[in-house]
Amino acid sequence: QVQLVESGGGLVQAGGSLRLSCAASGRTFSGYLMGWFRQAPGKEREFVAAVSRSGGSTYYADSVKGRFTVSRDNAKNTVYLQMNSLKPEDTAVYSCAVDRAMRSSASYRTRDYDYWGQGTQVTVSS
């Protein structure tokens, strides 16, 4: 069992920045690929970014590429999402998730992730 707790969300003006954190319980954090997803009101949950077990490989949705950066600190059991140049369309609940499968690259599908945090709200005003 893995527990995930997100933090760092809030209200920010367009063009601003936020840094989300996701703290994980358990001693095997470094063995999991970690993903970030978001869900806006009335929309399906969508993939945002993911980071490999070592942190050496990162993956991004086209909509956030060049603006968001995902990283992890395995010593702290924490994964981060740095969000810059935020837009109103980035408004959503952001959740981190664990993929326990030993994939060679990240999955973009929610069903491939096993554990989820409760999410943190990000609101970008225009």
Side-chain angles (χ1 to χ4, degrees):
Q1 186 78 10
V2 178
Q3 292 185 325
L4 305 170
V5 179
E6 301 95 337
S7 61
L11 174 64
V12 63
Q13 289 188 332
S17 298
L18 282 174
R19 188 194 195 203
L20 305 184
S21 298
C22 171
S25 65
R27 295 175 292 178
T28 56
F29 174 77
S30 62
Y32 303 140
L33 184 146
M34 298 296 296
W36 283 98
F37 288 77
R38 66 186 182 187
Q39 186 167 23
K43 295 187 177 181
E44 292 187 354
R45 183 177 284 175
E46 64 175 1
F47 173 83
V48 175
V51 59
S52 64
R53 290 175 288 276
S54 68
S57 297
T58 55
Y59 310 85
Y60 298 95
D62 288 343
S63 59
V64 306
K65 202 170 294 183
R67 300 188 297 123
F68 290 12
T69 303
V70 61
S71 62
R72 68 191 296 162
D73 185 338
N74 286 340
K76 295 182 178 180
N77 278 16
T78 301
V79 61
Y80 305 98
L81 185 67
Q82 177 68 44
M83 306 186 295
N84 298 329
S85 302
L86 283 161
K87 305 175 181 179
E89 51 264 44
D90 293 319
T91 295
V93 175
Y94 285 71
S95 301
C96 62
V98 168
D99 181 358
R100 295 182 297 171
M102 299 298 287
R103 305 180 203 279
S104 58
S105 63
S107 170
Y108 289 33
R109 302 181 300 187
T110 58
R111 66 184 181 187
D112 287 333
Y113 289 78
D114 307 290
Y115 299 108
W116 294 81
Q118 83 289 349
T120 184
Q121 176 70 46
V122 171
T123 303
V124 184
S125 63
S126 57

